[in-house]
Amino acid sequence: MSGIFGALNLADTDRAFVNTIGQRVVYDAVQQIIERHNADLQAAYSVFVDEETSDFKRRFKLPGGGYLQRRGGSGQSAAVKAFGEWDVAFPLEDFGAQFSKNDIAVAYMTVQELNRHLLTIFAQDINTMRREILVALLNNTAWTFTDLIHGALSVQPLANGDAVLYPPVLGSDAEATDTHYLESGYTSASISDTNNPFVTIRNELEEHFGVATGGENIAVFINPDEVSVTEALTDFDPVNDKYVIPGANVDQLTGLPANVPGRVIGRTNGCWVIEWRWIPSGYMVGIYMEPGVPKPLIKRNDPADTGLTTGLTLVVEDEIYPFKNAHYRHRYGLGVGNRLNGVVMELANGAGYTVPAAYAR
């Protein structure tokens, strides 16, 4: 990352000390770089996070269904109530890392060393956000977060077969419970045109959010262990190497999804296939990405009137010497809002869905 050097108008080969430039000048440059990092982080995970809010709890609502009532003469229609709503709550946690140096250490700190330090903090922030996203999506049970002000909050997973009645799926008139944590009934080695998890994931999402001629924007994230069997599917169309111009009679994919983590490797059975190394082996995660459909997660921040900033922040104790006993802080929490926009499939033949050990809460 050359950002800190560019913000200070320095070449990355320049040997310059933070104290020589001035701690306050360097601090202002660091704040600029942190703002860019926050924007990049928000964009990178926007496929999973629908919005940011200071709400600790809300009633999530989707449009209902049903039919208009047949009327005769001047009779009044009976009152109706929209359905497709459920209660969700969001945690708010404090993540951080300390930056602690005495005056001598700060005096000897070069911009190169500061840059290495920033890269470490940014990597830790990215890693933490990614883990919190996957923990929120892969755990299939509600959990209780104890809020210091609002008390016990029940944070929900994706649809998990509990008592919540969801709007009727396409082809049905009745609200019903649903579960979006599935077990395939076969291992990843058995994926084939017959045992095709992409069709199952696509159908589970389309029944709630619609089916369009030509396919939908559905992203399925997979582990590298599932790449070869996925590429062997008859319907799989690979993303061409950007450095190779394909010849005639070769399919070319268009409209590749942007701002998704991982690597888009192709499309199959109406789904974009994204290799993301952080998805546990033997699991797949599908998300419906069409505009107008709320994404699964909501990110909770502190209320604006508290004066606390959102995103990664460098908090200083000494405005004159900001790099002495400073610490980085990122306060947020992730909870599922749209419990229907997301399908997690375990590629196994056991006794039902099992939370991957690496992301168990």
Side-chain angles (χ1 to χ4, degrees), residues 267-282:
R267 187 170 173 85
T268 186
N269 299 106
C271 302
W272 293 108
V273 183
I274 302 170
E275 177 191 14
W276 194 24
R277 294 179 180 271
W278 297 102
I279 296 294
S281 179

Side-chain angles (χ1 to χ4, degrees), residues 202 206 215-218 235 267-272:
R202 182 199 69 201
E206 285 185 341
E216 301 287 349
N217 250 336
I218 294 174
D235 191 56
R267 187 170 173 85
T268 186
N269 299 106
C271 302
W272 293 108

Side-chain angles (χ1 to χ4, degrees), residues 8 33-34 59 80 104 149 165 197 209 228 254 272 292 307 318 338:
L8 293 171
I33 304 306
I34 290 177
R59 179 153 292 180
V80 297
I104 295 175
I149 297 175
L165 296 177
F209 303 116
S228 60
T254 61
W272 293 108
D318 189 329
N338 187 358

Side-chain angles (χ1 to χ4, degrees), residues 277-332:
R277 294 179 180 271
W278 297 102
I279 296 294
S281 179
Y283 289 81
M284 294 181 170
V285 177
I287 304 291
Y288 194 94
M289 300 192 303
E290 288 292 338
V293 175
K295 296 156 191 173
L297 299 179
I298 292 176
K299 180 173 180 267
R300 179 184 169 191
N301 298 320
D302 291 293
D305 55 8
T306 62
L308 296 169
T309 55
T310 61
L312 184 67
T313 304
L314 178 57
V315 182
V316 301
E317 297 180 0
D318 189 329
E319 293 292 334
I320 299 176
Y321 302 104
F323 290 109
K324 184 178 178 181
N325 295 327
H327 64 274
Y328 295 87
R329 182 174 66 200
H330 195 167
R331 289 175 52 81
Y332 66 94

Side-chain angles (χ1 to χ4, degrees), residues 23-166:
Q23 285 195 36
R24 188 68 206 187
V25 173
V26 176
Y27 169 76
D28 290 341
V30 168
Q31 293 291 61
Q32 294 179 33
I33 304 306
I34 290 177
E35 289 177 7
R36 295 179 203 168
H37 162 79
N38 286 331
D40 291 343
L41 185 63
Q42 183 180 32
Y45 293 122
S46 60
V47 65
F48 303 112
V49 181
D50 190 63
E51 63 171 299
E52 299 190 18
T53 183
S54 60
D55 295 346
F56 66 92
K57 185 177 181 180
R58 69 167 59 164
R59 179 153 292 180
F60 191 91
K61 299 182 180 182
L62 286 177
Y67 300 92
L68 292 177
Q69 300 165 33
R70 192 182 304 277
R71 300 176 57 182
S74 59
Q76 294 296 315
S77 303
V80 297
K81 179 183 178 181
F83 47 82
E85 59 186 41
W86 51 87
D87 292 334
V88 292
F90 316 110
L92 181 59
E93 301 184 272
D94 197 308
F95 303 95
Q98 189 175 14
F99 181 91
S100 181
K101 288 181 177 291
N102 59 33
D103 57 339
I104 295 175
V106 172
Y108 277 92
M109 183 172 63
T110 63
V111 174
Q112 284 83 354
E113 182 183 353
L114 175 62
N115 187 60
R116 183 171 63 90
H117 167 78
L118 284 173
L119 289 175
T120 301
I121 297 298
F122 292 164
Q124 291 177 351
D125 190 36
I126 292 169
N127 291 343
T128 303
M129 175 68 77
R130 180 187 61 243
R131 176 175 175 78
E132 291 301 303
I133 285 172
L134 289 174
V135 167
L137 292 175
L138 295 173
N139 281 267
N140 64 333
T141 57
W143 65 285
T144 299
F145 173 75
T146 302
D147 192 286
L148 293 177
I149 297 175
H150 305 290
L153 302 177
S154 182
V155 184
Q156 300 298 317
L158 298 171
N160 68 340
D162 58 11
V164 173
L165 296 177
Y166 297 101

